[in-house]
Amino acid sequence: MEKKQILDELLTWRYAHRGFHNKPAVPENSMIAFRRAVDEGFGIELDVHLTKDKKLAVIHDSSLKRTCGVDLNIEEITLGEAQVYFLEKSQEVIPAFEEVLDAVDGKVPLIIEIKSAGGNDRELTDSVMAVLEGYDGLYCIESFSPSVVGYLRKAYPDVVRGQLSGCLNRNFDKKHAGASGNEPILTGLQDFLLKNLWVNAAGRPDFVAYCYEDRDMRALVKFKGAKFMWTIRRYDDLKACEKSGAAGIFEQFNPKDYE
């Protein structure tokens, strides 16, 4: 498929945020959550980090504190060391990216968020793309990091890429940076450039993934490209998002219960 066709198809789906979880028994970013999404026919949004032994781990935070209850960072341990710990109140462990791809097997599309840390933007991106080289399924790549989006533009121009954004500092508790699961601390300038989409000049993203709470931001309203909205927690908001032409990334409810 041509790149525009892929993006057009991606926009027709609803996406389960970090899998179709039901915490704590069905944890976020777990194999059971991903299988539930496939079974329900929802696309999947997930997060990928690079471990100490250069493996790809599917987990949102760098810290394992929130999801596994241990004060360790995924970038500082091996995948095997991380998989000793269970996710939330389950017997699930942090999945390898390859394991997720095998389970999904192209049945539903993926929004893959690259979670770079410690300057590993290119290494992590290259590792993700190397694994995806043999994957036969629809996907796109997104990141809060403008350098990741810019690198995708130069090194992987045929891949659908997106810039994540929103009023991040407003939604972020800096006191809990390591364990909260929220986005990285930004300087005032970084936050300003991201929320106003000025970083798009370098990365030229195919889409913007923007915080739904900030949907009335002037920069987003003026943006003429494709849009994904995160994270939607009410069915009415999901329908409003879709009516506007954007694709919704949802959690904490099943849209099918309302239809």
Side-chain angles (χ1 to χ4, degrees):
M1 294 175 67
E2 295 293 327
K3 190 175 182 180
K4 185 180 184 307
Q5 290 177 299
I6 294 173
L7 180 56
D8 288 345
E9 175 64 19
L10 290 168
L11 287 168
T12 67
W13 288 75
R14 291 169 171 171
Y15 295 86
H17 187 233
R18 307 177 197 172
F20 191 40
H21 58 77
N22 185 18
K23 300 161 57 136
V26 180
E28 65 180 59
N29 278 326
S30 65
M31 290 306 302
I32 187 172
F34 298 138
R35 292 191 182 101
R36 288 181 80 226
V38 171
D39 290 344
E40 291 285 343
F42 296 131
I44 296 169
E45 185 271 349
L46 58 85
D47 312 278
V48 183
H49 286 260
L50 192 66
T51 65
K52 182 180 178 180
D53 57 342
K54 311 305 180 184
K55 304 293 185 181
L56 295 172
V58 179
I59 182 173
H60 182 272
D61 312 2
S62 281
S63 172
L64 274 63
K65 183 72 173 178
R66 181 177 63 89
T67 52
C68 298
V70 292
D71 192 12
L72 296 169
N73 277 6
I74 193 69
E75 284 84 12
E76 298 171 1
I77 57 178
T78 68
L79 180 60
E81 290 169 337
Q83 289 179 329
V84 169
Y85 305 102
F86 293 127
L87 291 166
E88 302 181 51
K89 294 182 180 180
S90 77
Q91 298 298 301
E92 296 284 309
V93 298
I94 296 169
F97 184 47
E98 295 88 339
E99 184 182 6
V100 177
L101 295 182
D102 287 344
V104 175
D105 194 28
K107 298 181 183 72
V108 298
L110 301 174
I111 301 175
I112 302 162
E113 181 178 347
I114 290 184
K115 290 282 193 178
S116 57
N120 68 0
D121 299 47
R122 294 193 176 194
E123 185 179 18
L124 173 54
T125 303
D126 286 338
S127 297
V128 168
M129 295 311 306
V131 171
L132 286 169
E133 187 174 350
Y135 183 66
D136 187 19
L138 288 178
Y139 68 87
C140 60
I141 309 290
E142 65 179 15
S143 182
F144 279 104
S145 169
S147 64
V148 166
V149 180
Y151 182 58
L152 285 166
R153 175 193 170 197
K154 293 178 182 178
Y156 306 97
D158 294 332
V159 172
V160 177
R161 63 185 180 273
Q163 179 65 60
L164 274 157
S165 190
C167 296
L168 303 180
N169 280 350
R170 187 205 66 200
N171 298 321
F172 185 66
D173 181 354
K174 295 185 180 183
K175 294 186 294 184
H176 300 93
S180 69
N182 292 307
E183 303 312 328
I185 293 175
L186 301 174
T187 66
L189 177 60
Q190 289 171 328
D191 183 60
F192 178 83
L193 294 175
L194 269 174
K195 73 184 181 184
N196 287 286
L197 302 178
W198 286 12
V199 296
N200 288 2
R204 296 184 188 176
D206 301 301
F207 68 89
V208 164
Y210 214 87
C211 177
Y212 183 72
E213 294 177 11
D214 302 320
R215 60 193 176 277
D216 294 328
M217 283 291 298
R218 185 167 178 266
L220 181 66
V221 172
K222 290 179 63 178
F223 180 72
K224 301 303 182 184
K227 300 171 185 176
F228 292 73
M229 305 300 291
W230 57 272
T231 302
I232 297 172
R233 298 181 175 90
R234 295 176 63 251
Y235 178 73
D236 289 347
D237 289 338
L238 179 62
K239 292 296 289 183
C241 165
E242 293 171 341
K243 186 176 180 179
S244 74
I249 302 170
F250 72 91
E251 68 177 9
Q252 298 181 6
F253 71 98
N254 186 345
K256 293 182 178 180
D257 291 342
Y258 299 85
E259 297 176 339

